[in-house]
Amino acid sequence: MRPERKIKSIFTASEIQKRVETVAKEISDAMSGDFLLISILKGSFVFSADLIRSLHSAGVGPQIDFLALASYGSATESSGHVEITRDITDQVEGRDILLVDDILESGRTLSFAKDMLVDRGAQSVKICVFLDKQGKRKVDIEADFVGFVCPDLFVVGYGLDYAHYFRELPFVGALESEK
Ligand code: IMP
Ligand code: MG
């Protein structure tokens, strides 16, 4: 059942749209035309879909693959143990990669993905995240491209979930605590 929770808007749909266009321009300035964009599922599917269309407007047409990762834990806290639930199918050896994720928090998910791609022979791995919760890092990793710095609140919408719900919201909001 979908949880009955109030959600307080943090980033509106139009703020997100403008920021995604700017991030796409930053990527087009910094990366060569021929790269492989790897969208980390499930959370980054909405951001990735908007980002690739803004990349097109910025003159960039990457190849695209998907990597599904899960870090099991409670609904709002990850366990730190990351597993591949669906692997990419493209070859990464010698490729320039742009990893795209919804949010960088402890850094464990992206650090796992980056190490895996480097082990498989990627030439370079850059990271783009929609949200960056800067105060929560447990692993030494930073993103090359960031949509928004996110306050230290549990957020949902624009692909981000709480117990697999709320991904469809066109804005990002904080879940208000249960009373
Ligand atoms: P990390 O491995 O701790 O950096 O966490 C990254 C993953 O945890 C993200 O890909 C999200 O799936 C999830 N996550 C972290 N914070 C939030 C949040 O505020 N809302 C929804 N999911 C989150
Ligand atoms: Mg997730």
Side-chain angles (χ1 to χ4, degrees):
M1 280 271 286
R2 186 180 163 94
E4 286 289 327
R5 296 282 284 273
K6 284 206 180 113
I7 295 164
K8 186 176 180 294
S9 174
I10 299 182
F11 304 115
T12 66
S14 65
E15 283 168 344
I16 292 170
Q17 189 196 337
K18 282 196 206 97
R19 185 61 198 145
V20 171
E21 284 166 14
T22 305
V23 171
K25 289 195 192 93
E26 290 171 13
I27 293 169
S28 76
D29 287 344
M31 291 190 67
S32 73
D34 188 30
F35 63 90
L36 176 65
L37 183 154
I38 299 180
S39 166
I40 300 180
L41 299 176
K42 299 171 186 170
S44 84
F45 76 107
V46 178
F47 176 48
S48 296
D50 283 347
L51 183 67
I52 58 172
R53 286 174 290 180
S54 291
L55 283 172
H56 168 76
S57 303
V60 182
Q63 290 182 307
I64 295 159
D65 204 345
F66 300 93
L67 175 65
L69 296 177
S71 50
Y72 297 100
S74 70
T76 59
E77 201 77 36
S78 85
S79 66
H81 175 72
V82 183
E83 259 177 48
I84 300 175
T85 55
R86 179 206 177 275
D87 207 340
I88 52 170
T89 54
D90 289 356
Q91 293 300 314
V92 297
E93 201 175 338
R95 301 293 313 266
D96 295 314
I97 312 279
L98 180 65
L99 266 176
V100 177
D101 205 0
D102 53 357
I103 186 164
L104 177 56
E105 197 176 90
S106 73
R108 289 191 189 102
T109 305
L110 276 160
S111 140
F112 173 91
K114 184 174 181 177
D115 289 352
M116 184 191 96
L117 295 166
V118 169
D119 285 350
R120 291 182 187 180
Q123 174 166 274
S124 69
V125 182
K126 288 208 159 34
I127 292 174
C128 175
V129 292
F130 173 57
L131 300 176
D132 185 2
K133 272 192 200 168
Q134 292 181 330
K136 303 279 278 188
R137 222 69 91 235
K138 296 273 195 291
V139 176
D140 183 22
I141 190 163
E142 294 303 332
D144 301 279
F145 309 99
V146 173
F148 297 96
V149 171
C150 183
D152 185 14
L153 298 167
F154 194 80
V155 294
V156 294
Y158 200 67
L160 290 125
D161 73 301
Y162 169 69
H164 307 289
Y165 287 102
F166 305 115
R167 294 192 198 273
E168 78 287 357
L169 301 177
F171 60 91
V172 169
L175 268 197
E176 303 211 321
S177 50
E178 279 169 307
K179 301 243 164 64

